[in-house]
Amino acid sequence: MELLGVIERYLRKSRMPETKFGRLAVNDPRLVGDLRRGREPGADMIRRVTGFIAGRSA
C-alpha cells in the first residue's frame, strides 16, 4: 500500500484541503506536501493516517 496514493484518493473523494487533512490526521499541516516531495512515513504515521481515514469513511 502506498500511503500517498491512499491519501490522494481520500482528498479527492472528501474534497478536503491537504493542510486540513494533515492537521486533523497527524497534527502536521505539511504532511501531504512533504510526502509528495519524498518524505518517508514511519509505521506509526501510517497507522495514524489509515486509522483517521477509516474512521472518517465509516
Side-chain angles (χ1 to χ4, degrees):
M1 171 192 67
E2 167 79 26
L3 183 63
L4 182 57
V6 172
I7 293 170
E8 296 282 9
R9 282 188 293 282
Y10 177 79
L11 291 177
R12 280 192 301 275
K13 180 180 167 187
S14 68
R15 300 178 61 144
M16 181 182 291
E18 65 186 61
T19 54
K20 181 176 182 180
F21 174 85
R23 191 169 41 257
L24 292 174
V26 294
N27 199 31
D28 180 0
R30 294 177 25 201
L31 171 69
V32 178
D34 287 351
L35 290 172
R36 287 175 179 155
R37 286 187 291 281
R39 177 177 173 185
E40 293 292 329
D44 183 53
M45 174 151 321
I46 293 170
R47 279 192 298 276
R48 290 170 62 194
V49 168
T50 55
F52 173 80
I53 290 173
R56 296 284 233 164
S57 298

